[in-house]
Amino acid sequence: MLSRVAENLYWMARYVERAEDTARLISVNSNLMLDMPARAALSWSTLIDITGSEETFDALYSERSERNVIDFLCLSREHTGSILSSLANARENLRTTRDVVPREIWEEINQCYLEIQEQTQSGLKPRHRDAFLKSVVRACQTLTGLIEGTLSHTEARTFLSLGRHLERADMTTRILDVRSDNLLPRNPEELIPFEHLQWMSVLKSLTAYQMYRQAVRLRVRGPDVLRFLLQDHDLPRSVLRSLEEVSWELQTLPNHDRPLAVATLVRAEVAEADVQTLARAPEQLHQLIDEFQIGFNNLHEAIASAYFVVRPVKSASTQERDLGDDDD
């Protein structure tokens, strides 16, 4: 397979996964703000920090209000990590390589982008937000299901899977990070009564609540949720499972020694994380998630060096990375 084709398929999958998980990220924040008391001091500003897009946001908006943050993360053309920009970039990457995938996949992503674009032409009103986010998640899942059900097990599918699972690992850690300062309460008297609701919201944002109840069979507790979302081998959206998928896919490719070594190292760091300690120390959880994301960026760079056109590789550890160059 041409390196350019492989790169476009890889980024197409990352963009689709990013659009879906950005919708999940906004959803978990929306639900938490509805469930939590005012004294919990939750804010929309947190999402900008966690997506690593402070500079771009502050250049476009004068304040981090709910309306501005939602507009930036959902509709902004200037922000390459917004839902609309991610779907536009996914569509463009596939457009230039659509001869290697079934026609139905191209038609689905084209239709998905056009429908989301139409929904957002008049702005995104608060009363329509939940329906919009659900429609984004559903459209992305439909596209992923179509890829899984129609694309032969060739290198094209391998690079789509690499992109999807690496982005998924990164975004699952971001969804955990979005509440690392509040999910693990520093003031037990105020927040412990609401801890159950907070962790339930995180699980539901990843469509993991029922799987958690089946696997853990206990009430929802912070340490158990952390362990489940970080280290469960069976949950499709857990960080460890996503990295295992990356490793399995890399083994089918030639010249995989360095990328596979990096994947193995990052996977070991996730598997060996001391969840009990993290559950008592929000600062340590945030720091560890930062380290995981550096590892994901190193893994991306190893994959890019081994299989894509040689060029300066931009950071893939933050949401605010300019990937437009990948579509030329």
Side-chain angles (χ1 to χ4, degrees):
M1 173 178 286
L2 294 175
S3 63
R4 192 61 181 171
V5 173
E7 186 175 12
N8 283 350
L9 292 173
Y10 169 88
W11 279 118
M12 174 264 182
R14 290 200 69 158
Y15 281 128
V16 171
E17 187 67 30
R18 188 176 308 166
E20 178 181 343
D21 290 340
T22 299
R24 293 177 182 275
L25 193 67
I26 298 168
S27 178
V28 69
N29 202 67
S30 297
N31 292 334
L32 283 174
M33 293 190 77
L34 290 174
D35 291 338
M36 295 294 291
R39 64 180 180 274
L42 307 183
S43 74
W44 287 98
S45 177
T46 308
L47 297 185
I48 302 301
D49 297 330
I50 287 171
T51 56
S53 49
E54 300 94 329
E55 270 190 48
T56 304
F57 182 91
D58 292 339
L60 295 171
Y61 302 93
S62 59
E63 62 175 339
R64 295 190 180 185
S65 63
E66 175 181 350
R67 180 177 179 177
N68 288 346
V69 171
I70 293 297
D71 181 78
F72 180 72
L73 293 177
C74 292
L75 313 180
S76 175
R77 295 279 188 178
E78 290 81 7
H79 175 38
T80 57
S82 74
I83 290 172
L84 191 59
S85 291
S86 294
L87 290 174
N89 286 329
R91 175 176 177 256
E92 179 61 20
N93 273 280
L94 190 59
R95 184 187 65 80
T96 61
T97 54
R98 58 184 178 179
D99 56 323
V100 301
V101 301
R103 180 178 178 181
E104 289 80 4
I105 295 176
W106 160 249
E107 291 175 346
E108 183 65 31
I109 195 169
N110 189 51
Q111 184 66 22
C112 170
Y113 167 73
L114 293 175
E115 287 179 358
I116 298 300
Q117 183 187 44
E118 183 178 355
Q119 289 183 51
T120 58
Q121 281 181 345
S122 58
L124 188 56
K125 295 182 170 64
R127 67 177 180 271
H128 298 149
R129 183 191 304 157
D130 188 57
F132 169 77
L133 296 174
K134 287 180 179 178
S135 70
V136 171
V137 171
R138 190 178 304 114
C140 293
Q141 289 182 327
T142 298
L143 181 60
T144 299
L146 192 59
I147 292 170
E148 290 294 315
T150 64
L151 187 61
S152 295
H153 288 262
T154 61
E155 288 183 342
R157 186 182 177 116
T158 298
F159 282 102
L160 284 168
S161 184
L162 284 174
R164 180 191 314 129
H165 287 105
L166 183 53
E167 187 74 21
R168 181 174 295 177
D170 179 75
M171 291 299 287
T172 296
T173 60
R174 292 179 188 280
I175 289 172
L176 282 173
D177 201 23
V178 73
R179 289 275 67 88
S180 64
D181 286 336
N182 302 91
L183 283 171
L184 305 170
R186 294 179 177 81
N187 189 335
E189 292 182 2
E190 289 192 358
L191 294 182
I192 276 184
F194 302 94
E195 184 182 9
H196 176 75
L197 288 174
Q198 295 177 74
W199 286 114
M200 276 184 60
S201 181
V202 172
L203 287 168
K204 288 180 178 179
S205 75
L206 291 165
T207 321
Y209 177 67
Q210 287 179 284
M211 296 300 97
Y212 171 89
R213 296 305 298 266
Q214 289 181 20
V216 180
R217 298 184 180 276
L218 295 171
R219 68 183 180 87
V220 178
R221 296 175 56 252
D224 294 331
V225 174
L226 274 177
R227 184 182 299 107
F228 189 62
L229 295 180
L230 286 175
Q231 298 173 331
D232 191 80
H233 287 278
D234 300 319
L235 180 71
R237 306 197 76 84
S238 83
V239 177
L240 186 61
R241 176 71 188 202
S242 297
L243 292 171
E244 287 173 344
E245 295 279 358
V246 170
S247 296
W248 294 334
E249 296 292 358
L250 284 171
Q251 291 178 47
T252 68
L253 295 174
N255 192 29
H256 64 233
D257 290 352
R258 181 169 177 268
L260 186 57
V262 176
T264 301
L265 177 61
V266 178
R267 192 174 77 238
E269 291 174 350
V270 173
E272 295 167 6
D274 184 352
V275 174
Q276 289 296 329
T277 299
L278 295 174
R280 296 190 297 269
E283 298 87 353
Q284 291 186 31
L285 174 61
H286 178 74
Q287 181 179 352
L288 186 67
I289 286 176
D290 282 348
E291 292 173 3
F292 287 163
Q293 289 169 354
I294 291 171
F296 301 151
N297 186 52
N298 292 337
L299 179 52
H300 160 73
E301 292 185 355
I303 292 171
S305 298
Y307 302 114
F308 303 154
V309 177
V310 177
R311 69 183 71 187
V313 180
K314 299 189 178 186
S315 170
S317 63
T318 64
Q319 189 91 343
E320 182 51 39
R321 54 234 190 218
D322 180 7
L323 301 177
D325 294 343
D326 294 309
D327 302 336
D328 293 340

